[in-house]
Amino acid sequence: MRSTWVRLAGPVLLASGLALAGCGEPARTTRTSPSAAAEPAAEPAAEPAAESAPPQVGEDPTPVPTPTKPKVSKATLDYFVQVALVGRDAHDGKIAIWTNPVAQVHLSGTVSAASRTCADQTVADFNALSATTKLQITSGPGDIELQIVPSSRFKSIDPQSTVDSDGFTHPSWPHGTNAISRATVLVASTGVSASMRCSLIRRQLTEATGLRDGTTAHTSSVFTIHAGSYPTKYSALDKQLIKLLYSGAIHPLDDREAVTREVTVT
């Protein structure tokens, strides 16, 4: 099963901040009683201590704590690098990731009750691991279009798909950002068993979140490319990969060196 990654042209917006100056207090007046005129002049009152200027608009007076680095094992980091940065279809050795708080998933095509249940469970499992972006099944057009159709139709839906695949994923993003904004996911509706189709749904949908490929070394992983292995659940290692990618510590365009700096290997 192969995934293809491209980038889309898009605008870059710059935001400017505004700062507002504080206003001083109005001058105060005093009144003197007639009897006080015959008495020696009183010592002038001490000037009130100057108040510190209020924080400018946009300033946060509270020091920002240093984020805690995620702790990962060496095996997790090595597999993360392989799946998210080095896989067969990795793009420029850089992280691609959703930055929106919600990515909506629309199912279409031949969606059986079993396929719907599998997609729902995959979304629930992913959301339990992700601290930043959540997936959400929607009845209307989605950010991720998951179509369950005969593989013979893949090419007509997405010209970059291959004719010999039962599953295909094509995420895209504005040019130069690696911040995924859309994805097409294709899963074969015929020629595969219900269990294999569920494995394909879980794998291809998860690949659409930025985890691209695997190796033959971990046959229990949904990212395995081992022939005949079709896991329908995330392995313990898969869960660590998802938790790391969507921990908030990893960013679009991070390379291997950046990812290594952003974690603590235990």
Side-chain angles (χ1 to χ4, degrees):
M1 289 152 298
R2 183 178 179 186
S3 304
T4 303
W5 295 71
V6 299
R7 298 178 291 184
L8 300 180
V12 177
L13 304 180
L14 300 177
S16 60
L18 299 177
L20 302 179
C23 297
E25 295 183 355
R28 298 181 179 177
T29 59
T30 60
R31 298 179 62 186
T32 304
S33 66
S35 61
E39 296 177 1
E43 292 294 328
E47 291 290 330
E51 297 182 359
S52 59
Q56 297 295 309
V57 174
E59 291 182 351
D60 186 354
T62 305
V64 178
T66 302
T68 302
K69 292 183 177 182
K71 295 181 179 180
V72 299
S73 67
K74 185 177 184 303
T76 297
L77 180 58
D78 288 345
Y79 197 43
F80 181 86
V81 168
Q82 180 65 37
V83 174
L85 292 169
V86 183
R88 293 176 300 171
D89 300 312
H91 185 83
D92 296 338
K94 303 289 181 65
I95 290 291
I97 186 176
W98 288 85
T99 56
N100 298 339
V102 175
Q104 294 190 325
V105 182
H106 178 226
L107 276 64
S108 62
T110 305
V111 185
S112 64
S115 292
R116 176 60 187 247
T117 298
C118 180
D120 286 342
Q121 189 61 56
T122 299
V123 166
D125 292 347
F126 178 90
N127 290 346
L129 299 167
S130 172
T132 54
T133 295
K134 304 297 184 181
L135 302 180
Q136 183 180 77
I137 301 289
T138 179
S139 58
D143 306 305
I144 301 174
E145 289 289 340
L146 196 167
Q147 301 185 49
I148 304 176
V149 296
S151 56
S152 60
R153 290 186 53 198
F154 284 11
K155 204 74 173 175
S156 63
I157 297 172
D158 192 312
Q160 297 196 43
S161 66
T162 55
V163 296
D164 59 345
S165 295
D166 293 315
F168 174 78
T169 303
H170 181 181
S172 57
W173 50 83
H175 179 72
T177 67
N178 277 38
I180 305 171
S181 57
R182 295 193 62 80
T184 298
V185 175
L186 305 176
V187 172
S189 61
T190 59
V192 296
S193 65
S195 177
M196 181 177 175
R197 186 176 301 110
C198 183
S199 178
L200 290 165
I201 290 172
R202 181 171 289 256
R203 173 176 178 160
Q204 303 303 143
L205 184 53
T206 310
E207 282 194 2
T209 68
L211 295 165
R212 311 171 190 182
D213 223 331
T215 68
T216 59
H218 302 285
T219 56
S220 63
S221 168
V222 297
F223 308 109
T224 184
I225 56 176
H226 189 278
S229 294
Y230 300 103
T232 57
K233 296 181 180 180
Y234 292 136
S235 69
L237 196 52
D238 293 339
K239 293 177 181 179
Q240 292 302 312
L241 266 57
I242 296 169
K243 288 178 67 175
L244 175 56
L245 185 61
Y246 285 93
S247 64
I250 307 300
H251 310 92
L253 295 174
D254 279 354
D255 57 14
R256 181 171 186 162
E257 289 71 22
V259 170
T260 302
R261 288 194 305 268
E262 290 157 357
V263 303
T264 298
V265 180
T266 58

